[in-house]
Amino acid sequence: MAKSIKKVLIIDNGAYTIKAGFSSDSNPIIIPNCVTKVKSERRRPFIGDQLEECKDYSGLYYILPFTKGYIINWDTQRQVWDYVFRVKLKLPTDNKNRFSEIGLIITEPLFNFKQIRENMIDFLFGEYGFGSILITNAPQLAAFNYFYKQNYTKHQNMQTNKRFKSMLSTTNKEMACLVVDSGFSFTHIVPFIEGNKLLTHAKRINVGGKLLTNHLKEVISYRQLNVLDETYVVNQMKEDCCFVSTNYWADLEIASKKLSPINTINRYYVLPDYIMFKRGFIYDKTKHNDIVNFEEHQRIRMNNERFQIPELLFNPGDALINQVGISHCIYDVVSQFNPKYTVDTTSNNIDNVVTSIRERPDNLKDIDSDEDESDVTENEDEEKLDNSNDNDSKKNGINSETKDDSAKQNGEDHHIENGLPTYQDLNIQSHLYNNILLIGGNCNFPNFQERITNDIRTNVRDMLHVRVEKPSDPITYPWFGGQKICNVNEKGDCVGNISDSLYFKFAITRKEYDSKGLVYCNDKLANYQLPSFI
């Protein structure tokens, strides 16, 4: 099956946009993941980027395949996929009009439901007939891209040095990554350690770009002009005007001033009239000196709304959402990591990958406390059972001390506790703070990276280094992670033939789908972990 696959298609199937392209392409194409209709042209639906052909965006409304972050409307999703596969990418088909010679990498939401994943597998194999499929999520692709750049590409010219190879093997065991994915529906904070996605420590905030746009519509409609039906225009207004405040109360004091020289935040956003201007813009006297009668144009005053709308990402309580913001959630996720933690490498269930261990003294009791005789006898019976188990383990040649010694002899920095490897890394929190990765459309707000850095820096000890990295394009960064899966093997070496790549180690084929069934395919896709080239 690997030899029959000629191309691999990578699709980051987001709730707002689809990033699609072949593994050999330099950049993906970005298409809105929706079907839109306009009042002026009610008979014609606009699929994806066909909206650019529309002449009047007033009264536009969306038909979205995603509801609260999950695919619910499969008919709409099918229309968008048909448009992407057959019109935009022009995928070659076989004699049965199916894509049997094409492999697929497609993303799903984090914490996706089992029924939705099974429906997606059945849909992609049964409806489109792809040769192989790998279903993953955007944070995992972004972490894979990040680990690859940090652990391999950065030192690819020094691989011949044996001494450096030994240093690389030791430092990579300490590598960790904390992915902050702030997208259309949700904001997820997901930790990755040694390539493992730790869903037990991941957190979700129910604030995304959709909520910000809807909140801005309500604020403007209450204060100035009714724009409840102008989702498209208000979303552009949010992208053009809004920014993240690094000093909220100081900016609020500036915004309260009425005089324009003192109030440096106040802006006027000129709405499109679809005759002279097809897209709205922020009015500037120097740039738009050709506009003679500025007062005649319909405009909206953007003052404190510019920074109060993105502030919902850091204080969801302002929109009556009983959750903490991104900065506090990052601190909470990292604080969950005890210096002793376990990584279950034998189990295939990702939900049980990590189990935190909190040491506590045994047999603690107050000096003046009275114990019943029954409690004493129960404790004695438990001690007898423990001693008998220890004796049995010694007879069978099983000893925890010998396991620790063997682990140390093999160069491993962990011992076995409760059947799981326990890593003695006292700096695990510092590694997470030092590798915070920002992806998603909301990361494009100005000062987003600086705000997270400042917030975490004030809550973290001075000895810990905080480094927040935002890629040049946070929206397409996960797509390039999928591209690297198709271009490298298990060791991280670049391969020329797709059949030798890492993709076929985790993907499910049409043969597996037909012979082993849907449940097997779902379990295989739900329980894999991408390597971090350790």
Side-chain angles (χ1 to χ4, degrees):
M1 181 62 68
K3 295 181 180 179
S4 62
I5 301 298
K6 298 181 179 180
K7 293 182 178 181
V8 177
L9 177 64
I10 306 169
I11 293 182
D12 186 3
N13 195 59
Y16 183 64
T17 58
I18 288 180
K19 285 72 67 178
F22 292 104
S23 59
S24 58
D25 296 340
S26 58
N27 290 296
I29 59 174
I30 301 177
I31 301 172
N33 191 8
C34 62
V35 176
T36 54
K37 291 185 178 181
V38 191
K39 291 182 178 179
S40 60
E41 302 180 30
R42 294 182 179 180
R43 295 183 179 180
R44 179 190 176 185
F46 296 93
I47 303 174
D49 59 356
Q50 288 181 349
L51 188 61
E52 298 177 357
E53 303 174 5
C54 181
K55 299 179 180 179
D56 188 357
Y57 297 119
S58 59
L60 182 147
Y61 64 95
Y62 294 88
I63 303 175
L64 301 173
F66 281 76
T67 301
K68 294 184 178 180
Y70 301 100
I71 300 180
I72 302 297
N73 192 346
W74 287 97
D75 292 334
T76 304
Q77 188 65 82
R78 178 183 177 179
Q79 294 182 42
V80 179
W81 281 349
D82 283 339
Y83 176 73
V84 173
F85 295 157
R86 305 183 188 277
V87 178
K88 299 298 293 185
L89 298 176
K90 298 179 180 179
L91 300 184
T93 59
D94 55 11
N95 297 328
K96 298 180 180 180
N97 197 23
R98 300 165 72 85
F99 309 128
S100 60
E101 297 180 352
I102 297 177
L104 178 66
I105 296 179
I106 189 169
T107 60
E108 65 177 0
L110 204 66
F111 302 108
N112 195 17
F113 294 98
K114 179 181 178 182
Q115 292 79 5
I116 297 178
R117 185 186 299 112
E118 290 181 351
N119 197 4
M120 181 182 290
I121 296 171
D122 199 5
F123 200 83
L124 293 174
F125 275 130
E127 185 72 20
Y128 295 103
F130 283 98
S132 59
I133 296 173
L134 174 60
I135 299 178
T136 180
N137 50 73
Q140 192 160 17
L141 292 181
F144 182 84
N145 192 8
Y146 182 80
F147 278 121
Y148 181 83
K149 290 183 178 180
Q150 292 292 324
N151 299 348
Y152 184 79
T153 309
K154 183 178 178 181
H155 309 295
Q156 61 181 350
N157 296 328
M158 303 177 65
Q159 292 296 318
T160 55
N161 192 340
K162 295 182 179 179
R163 182 186 174 194
F164 179 79
K165 281 186 177 182
S166 62
M167 292 172 58
L168 187 65
S169 62
T170 56
T171 56
N172 282 346
K173 289 185 178 180
E174 299 175 354
M175 283 300 297
C177 177
L178 187 69
V179 179
V180 180
D181 183 10
S182 184
F184 182 71
S185 303
F186 302 126
T187 298
H188 289 102
I189 291 91
V190 189
F192 290 82
I193 298 178
E194 298 181 1
N196 296 314
K197 177 179 61 179
L198 309 182
L199 287 182
T200 54
H201 289 64
K203 300 293 182 182
R204 184 181 75 186
I205 306 172
N206 296 327
V207 179
K210 182 180 180 180
L211 186 140
L212 300 183
T213 302
N214 292 335
H215 190 68
L216 182 59
K217 286 195 303 182
E218 295 176 358
V219 171
I220 295 175
S221 299
Y222 177 76
R223 295 178 180 178
Q224 303 182 52
L225 182 67
N226 186 8
V227 291
L228 292 178
D229 295 333
E230 307 297 336
T231 304
Y232 184 80
V233 177
V234 175
N235 188 69
Q236 290 180 341
M237 189 188 309
K238 179 194 71 175
E239 296 175 352
D240 296 340
C241 295
C242 292
F243 66 94
V244 175
S245 175
T246 57
N247 192 343
Y248 179 79
W249 296 108
D251 290 339
L252 194 63
E253 182 67 22
I254 296 173
S256 63
K257 306 297 181 181
K258 295 182 179 181
L259 298 177
S260 57
I262 302 176
N263 189 352
T264 58
I265 297 177
N266 183 36
R267 296 290 188 275
Y268 282 98
Y269 189 82
V270 179
L271 298 177
D273 55 4
Y274 305 110
I275 299 175
M276 296 179 60
F277 311 110
K278 195 174 181 179
R279 181 188 173 98
F281 57 91
I282 300 175
Y283 177 73
D284 190 355
K285 292 183 179 181
T286 58
K287 294 182 180 179
H288 306 100
N289 53 9
D290 56 337
I291 299 178
V292 180
N293 297 323
F294 171 70
E295 302 294 336
E296 295 180 357
H297 292 276
Q298 196 173 26
R299 62 195 184 278
I300 291 178
R301 183 173 181 261
M302 294 288 290
N303 192 22
N304 55 2
E305 298 89 355
R306 296 185 62 197
F307 59 90
Q308 282 185 334
I309 298 301
E311 188 67 21
L312 296 178
L313 295 169
F314 302 91
N315 291 287
D318 296 343
L320 302 180
I321 298 176
N322 190 19
Q323 288 182 323
V324 297
I326 294 179
S327 302
H328 291 85
C329 194
I330 292 174
Y331 180 76
D332 182 58
V333 169
V334 179
S335 299
Q336 288 184 7
F337 283 91
N338 199 275
K340 290 187 176 182
Y341 68 97
T342 61
V343 178
D344 186 2
T345 57
T346 59
S347 176
N348 291 327
N349 189 2
I350 296 181
D351 295 336
N352 298 323
V353 169
V354 174
T355 304
S356 299
I357 296 178
R358 295 178 174 84
E359 287 189 343
R360 60 177 181 84
D362 296 331
N363 299 328
L364 288 180
K365 62 180 180 179
D366 296 334
I367 297 176
D368 297 333
S369 63
D370 296 331
E371 292 184 349
D372 297 335
E373 293 180 359
S374 60
D375 296 336
V376 175
T377 56
E378 289 178 0
N379 293 331
E380 291 178 355
D381 294 337
E382 291 177 356
E383 291 179 358
K384 291 180 181 180
L385 290 174
D386 294 336
N387 293 330
S388 62
N389 292 331
D390 293 338
N391 294 329
D392 293 338
S393 62
K394 290 180 180 179
K395 290 180 182 179
N396 296 327
I398 301 174
N399 193 351
S400 61
E401 294 179 359
T402 58
K403 290 182 180 180
D404 294 342
D405 294 337
S406 62
K408 292 179 180 179
Q409 291 176 1
N410 294 330
E412 300 175 355
D413 58 348
H414 64 273
H415 69 281
I416 305 299
E417 185 172 333
N418 296 329
L420 299 176
T422 302
Y423 291 80
Q424 304 292 330
D425 189 355
L426 300 179
N427 298 321
I428 186 63
Q429 293 185 6
S430 64
H431 296 312
L432 289 173
Y433 281 128
N434 194 35
N435 296 276
I436 300 176
L437 179 63
L438 305 178
I439 62 172
N442 294 327
C443 298
N444 287 324
F445 280 122
N447 303 331
F448 187 88
Q449 180 182 6
E450 292 78 3
R451 172 65 180 271
I452 292 181
T453 304
N454 295 338
D455 289 349
I456 297 177
R457 182 70 277 170
T458 56
N459 295 324
V460 175
R461 292 176 295 175
D462 295 338
M463 64 180 66
L464 297 179
H465 182 259
V466 176
R467 184 171 65 92
V468 180
E469 181 175 345
K470 189 186 79 169
S472 58
D473 191 355
I475 297 177
T476 60
Y477 190 82
W479 185 90
F480 288 101
Q483 188 183 48
K484 289 179 174 57
I485 293 177
C486 303
N487 296 332
V488 300
N489 56 16
E490 297 181 10
K491 298 180 181 179
D493 300 326
C494 295
V495 295
N497 192 359
I498 300 177
S499 60
D500 299 330
S501 65
L502 190 65
Y503 165 76
F504 288 100
K505 180 180 179 181
F506 304 108
I508 55 174
T509 61
R510 180 60 187 266
K511 183 178 180 181
E512 292 176 333
Y513 172 75
D514 294 335
S515 60
K516 298 183 180 180
L518 189 62
V519 177
Y520 169 81
C521 296
N522 186 21
D523 294 338
K524 182 179 179 180
L525 291 174
N527 298 324
Y528 76 93
Q529 294 282 9
L530 293 174
S532 58
F533 306 111
I534 297 175

